[in-house]
Amino acid sequence: MLGNEEIIRELYVAGEGQGTDAKKFVSMFSDEGYMWDMASGMKFRGQAIGDSIAGLASAFPDVHRELLSIYVAENVVVVEIAIRGTHKGELTLASGTIAPTGKVIDVPSCDVFHLEVGKIISFHCYNMPSVMLQQLGVDIG
């Protein structure tokens, strides 16, 4: 069986750009597992997790998560990352849809995972949407 760090590394590979494999991404969660986008307050379960990942890959077809640091403490994995990509597709947000800008993003983020028996039971994503919107040239205020 893979260790917790290896499981999380596989998860990130499943969420990469053109090779996004939403089905594999979702399969790495337990039946009760969830993904919580802390910035929006939205919690995703089951297929909604895959839809969220696929939506980002649709807006940023070359999306890549640069893993900057990984910390493992028993069943908890914390990953400091930079989400990078080029905005080539429509980006759907709670506030509306942003047409492709062709601009590049480099968004700091921190992900916290809890695992049990080789499956993710929780994934808390702490990202900076204000940074992404500024990089896309969207007036935020």
Side-chain angles (χ1 to χ4, degrees):
M1 179 154 82
L2 294 176
N4 289 340
E5 180 177 340
E6 290 78 20
I7 291 167
I8 298 307
R9 286 182 181 276
E10 273 197 21
L11 180 82
Y12 284 118
V13 169
E16 288 290 292
Q18 296 284 345
T20 298
D21 185 344
K23 186 175 180 179
K24 180 176 182 178
F25 199 95
V26 172
S27 77
M28 299 179 82
F29 285 77
S30 70
D31 290 342
E32 301 81 28
Y34 65 88
M35 180 178 89
W36 191 356
D37 178 359
M38 302 306 272
S40 71
M42 295 180 66
K43 199 178 270 190
F44 303 94
R45 296 182 185 278
Q47 185 55 47
I49 295 169
D51 294 345
S52 173
I53 296 304
L56 187 64
S58 176
F60 301 92
D62 61 347
V63 69
H64 170 67
R65 292 162 184 86
E66 185 75 25
L67 309 183
L68 304 173
S69 301
I70 299 177
Y71 307 94
V72 181
E74 297 180 20
N75 69 333
V76 178
V77 179
V78 177
V79 185
E80 183 180 8
I81 67 173
I83 302 170
R84 298 179 175 140
T86 310
H87 186 209
K88 295 183 177 181
E90 290 189 345
L91 177 61
T92 303
L93 304 171
S95 58
T97 300
I98 301 171
T101 62
K103 294 183 178 180
V104 174
I105 61 165
D106 186 350
V107 181
S109 186
C110 183
D111 295 337
V112 179
F113 299 90
H114 288 83
L115 297 95
E116 284 182 2
V117 195
K119 293 285 189 174
I120 299 164
I121 58 171
S122 69
F123 166 16
H124 295 182
C125 177
Y126 297 85
N127 57 65
M128 307 268 311
S130 62
V131 171
M132 179 182 68
L133 292 173
Q134 285 174 337
Q135 292 171 352
L136 295 176
V138 175
D139 181 17
I140 57 172

